[in-house]
């Protein structure tokens, strides 16, 4: 993908994003290696779209979300948000961008101050950005809490008084209080009971239609991603290996890793059987990823070429991108 491939429908354009974490050792703390958490990843997200990012833990999906928001600095690459180069912004312009780009964390309890009433937590971003008086901010916080299904009296309560699902609603309220355009949803339902997960996913969907939000939705569970995403990207050891519209990916997965993930999704009808593709071996470390295709150590179809050469990430059908020599 090149930056010229972008069009005006895109809210976010990410090109050749890399994030390496240096490993230091010795008396002088010299860099002796790099953990290649994200290694040359490119994608776009259209206005009002949800792009799901899926993969096993350590594949780099959370690092992508945090790097785009500049919660951590990139090693190289480009991220254009509404045409603005996120990684080049400083001071006031970065602060303005932060207002438009928010995050919902996996563990809402850890992201809430236990000594602060939730109304104040929800209004915190408004205070940081100097929006309204204290009273105005409280009113906005109450309105925002109501948008996620909570009541005015909840604004005066403390985080420990809420259930996990309610705390995640508060996390969502914090993210939308500043009326952002874009939200990174970083495993927002992974810590919740299955019965609560769909409620939270439905709130996110409703808010998307009501407020015109765009999401990057990160999860390790393909069923969750299927429920909410318009397009899905599959990550493996720092690389995007497949990217496609949701229906196409679930109907016609092309990368062997995506096929293995799909085969692990339980089928609700016991009469239907899905052939399980069980992967052997461990996920390689991003500190020392295998040469060639990073999946070759676990791929049942690996050929000699896969061990030496890295497959390009190519468009093989309309908006369907894959990195595998089998799909050339
Ligand atoms: Fe498997 Fe080779 Fe395709 Fe990699 S490039 S997924 S090792 S067949």
């Amino acid at each position: 993908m090149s930056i010229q491939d972008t069009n005006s429908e895109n809210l976010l354009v990410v090109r050749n994003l890399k994030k390496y974490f240096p490993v230091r050792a010795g008396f002088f703390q010299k860099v002796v290696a790099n953990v290649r958490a994200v290694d040359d990843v490119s994608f776009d997200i259209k206005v009002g779209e949800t792009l799901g990012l899926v993969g096993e833990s350590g594949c780099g999906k959370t690092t992508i979300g945090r790097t785009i928001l500049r919660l951590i600095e990139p090693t190289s690459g480009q991220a254009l948000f509404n045409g603005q180069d996120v990684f080049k912004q400083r001071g006031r312009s970065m602060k303005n961008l932060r207002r438009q780009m928010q995050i919902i964390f996996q563990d809402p309890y850890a992201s809430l101050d236990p000594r602060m009433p939730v109304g104040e937590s929800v209004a915190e971003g408004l205070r940081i950005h100097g929006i309204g008086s204290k009273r105005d901010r409280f009113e906005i916080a109450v309105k925002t809490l109501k948008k996620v299904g909570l009541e005015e009296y909840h604004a005066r309560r403390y985080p420990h008084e809420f259930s996990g699902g309610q705390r995640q609603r508060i996390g969502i309220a914090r993210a939308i209080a500043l009326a952002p355009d874009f939200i990174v949803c970083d495993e927002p339902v992974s810590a919740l009971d299955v019965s609560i997960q769909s409620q939270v996913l439905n709130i996110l969907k409703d808010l998307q239609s009501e407020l015109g939000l765009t999401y990057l939705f990160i999860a390790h569970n393909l069923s969750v991603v299927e429920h909410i995403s318009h397009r899905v990207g599959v990550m493996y050891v720092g690389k995007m290996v497949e990217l496609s519209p949701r229906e196409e990916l679930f109907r016609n997965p092309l990368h062997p890793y995506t096929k293995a993930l799909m085969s692990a999704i339980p089928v609700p009808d016991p009469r239907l059987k899905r052939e399980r593709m069980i992967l052997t071996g461990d996920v390689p470390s991003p500190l020392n990823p295998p040469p060639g295709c990073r999946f070759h150590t676990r791929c049942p179809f690996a050929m000699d070429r896969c061990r030496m050469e890295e497959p390009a990430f190519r468009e093989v059908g309309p908006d369907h991108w894959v990195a595998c020599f089998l799909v050339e």
Side-chain angles (χ1 to χ4, degrees), residues 255-256 293 295-296 299 301-303 306 311 323-326:
H255 195 281
C293 172
F295 189 54
H296 84 250
C299 180
F301 311 105
M303 308 163 273
C306 309
C324 175
F325 293 126
L326 292 176

Side-chain angles (χ1 to χ4, degrees), residues 77-88:
Q78 202 172 23
L80 298 182
F81 180 79
N82 255 334
Q84 277 182 284
D85 192 334
V86 179
F87 302 151
K88 290 199 173 140

Side-chain angles (χ1 to χ4, degrees), residues 282-319:
D282 293 330
V283 181
S285 164
L287 183 62
N288 188 19
C293 172
R294 289 189 183 182
F295 189 54
H296 84 250
T297 54
R298 300 170 80 201
C299 180
F301 311 105
M303 308 163 273
D304 285 346
R305 184 183 180 191
C306 309
R307 295 178 187 94
M308 293 176 287
E309 211 182 308
E310 188 177 333
F313 191 55
R314 294 183 318 112
E315 190 171 18
V316 294
D319 207 16

Side-chain angles (χ1 to χ4, degrees), residues 52-304:
L53 264 193
V54 73
E56 289 158 293
S57 26
C59 69
K61 53 194 191 304
T62 289
T63 306
I64 288 183
R66 290 176 188 212
T67 310
I68 290 168
L69 299 185
R70 295 270 301 273
L71 298 179
I72 46 180
E73 291 298 320
T75 301
S76 64
Q78 202 172 23
L80 298 182
F81 180 79
N82 255 334
Q84 277 182 284
D85 192 334
V86 179
F87 302 151
K88 290 199 173 140
Q89 306 304 312
R90 301 277 176 275
R92 181 168 289 275
S93 63
M94 190 61 223
K95 195 174 173 190
N96 287 339
L97 258 189
R98 286 198 193 286
R99 195 176 155 180
Q100 299 165 54
M101 304 166 84
Q102 294 289 313
I103 184 164
I104 300 167
F105 293 100
Q106 176 179 356
D107 180 358
Y109 197 49
S111 60
L112 292 170
D113 185 337
R115 293 156 306 174
M116 203 184 257
V118 302
E120 270 182 51
S121 278
V122 171
E124 199 180 13
L126 300 163
R127 183 182 56 74
I128 290 167
H129 287 273
I131 297 167
S133 63
K134 198 170 178 193
R135 186 178 186 82
D136 296 337
R137 292 196 288 268
F138 183 77
E139 278 172 16
I140 296 173
V142 168
K143 265 193 203 155
T144 314
L145 285 170
K146 286 184 175 170
K147 276 199 168 79
V148 297
L150 296 172
E151 298 298 332
E152 180 167 350
Y153 67 88
H154 286 127
R156 294 184 189 84
R157 296 204 169 163
Y158 289 84
H160 73 269
E161 298 177 72
F162 292 88
S163 66
Q166 285 176 319
R167 278 185 210 137
Q168 195 52 293
R169 286 170 193 247
I170 297 164
I172 296 170
R174 259 169 76 92
I176 62 169
L178 280 163
D181 296 318
F182 173 66
I183 300 180
V184 172
C185 307
D186 187 5
E187 304 247 16
V189 297
S190 304
L192 302 177
D193 289 346
V194 177
S195 57
I196 309 292
Q197 287 187 358
S198 55
Q199 288 175 18
V200 172
L201 291 175
N202 288 336
I203 290 172
L204 288 169
K205 275 176 136 181
D206 292 347
L207 289 171
Q208 182 167 49
S209 337
E210 189 188 334
L211 308 173
L213 293 166
T214 303
Y215 296 140
L216 175 64
F217 191 96
I218 296 162
H220 60 267
N221 182 333
L222 257 184
S223 333
V224 169
V225 165
E226 183 182 14
H227 187 78
I228 196 159
S229 309
H230 299 102
R231 285 186 305 136
V232 179
V234 181
M235 300 274 307
Y236 187 76
V237 195
K239 293 270 184 194
M240 182 93 77
V241 295
E242 187 158 6
L243 173 66
S244 155
R246 175 191 58 190
E247 294 79 13
E248 163 72 3
L249 190 85
F250 282 82
R251 192 178 48 80
N252 182 28
L254 295 175
H255 195 281
Y257 179 60
T258 315
K259 288 181 184 173
L261 290 181
M262 297 272 181
S263 78
I265 301 177
V267 186
D269 185 341
R271 288 165 301 177
L272 296 176
K273 280 223 161 78
R274 183 180 274 154
E275 206 178 315
R276 207 47 223 275
M277 185 172 154
I278 298 182
L279 296 176
T280 51
D282 293 330
V283 181
S285 164
L287 183 62
N288 188 19
C293 172
R294 289 189 183 182
F295 189 54
H296 84 250
T297 54
R298 300 170 80 201
C299 180
F301 311 105
M303 308 163 273
D304 285 346

